[in-house]
Amino acid sequence: MPTDSTPSDFDALNEQASVLMKEGLQLMADGHPEATATALARFEAALALRQQLPIDGHPEYAYAVAACWLNRADALGRLGGIERIEAALTSFDEATTVLQTLPLDGDDPRFIRRLAIAMQNRGLALRALGGERGGEAPQAFVD
């Protein structure tokens, strides 16, 4: 986004991403691998848009970026396979990093809930990997 962007430009960008996210969630409900792969593409497109948003000092935008990362991770996990689950772990880490910048002790309970979900799902992804990485799962539930 150019440096001369206005708040309405950012809101429009976020709205475009929201449309993609909703499409992706509808596809995920289908449950078929082809639909999940298409949903993943929608989540990644939404993420590309939202990564242009100014998240510092804008909790709603940061929360929206984290949602993209988490939905991307969910789709990757459902598609399965070691490489995709590793990519899902990276997405969980990115989401967690963003969520930890939010006012977790503030008035919006969604922030801390979403962080807890991210950490829990990261632990489940580690467990799904098994082996040495699976051994990291218990710690993911504690951190």
Side-chain angles (χ1 to χ4, degrees), residues 47-102:
L47 178 61
L49 291 172
R50 285 187 170 155
Q51 285 181 315
Q52 299 175 58
L53 299 173
I55 63 172
D56 291 338
H58 298 275
E60 289 298 322
Y61 288 157
Y63 183 79
V65 168
C68 291
W69 282 115
L70 292 174
N71 286 340
R72 179 182 187 271
D74 186 19
L76 287 163
R78 289 185 193 196
L79 290 169
I82 292 173
E83 288 181 14
R84 288 188 182 121
I85 294 174
E86 289 284 353
L89 287 170
T90 299
S91 289
F92 285 128
D93 291 343
E94 292 289 342
T96 300
T97 298
V98 172
L99 290 166
Q100 289 174 332
T101 69
L102 297 174

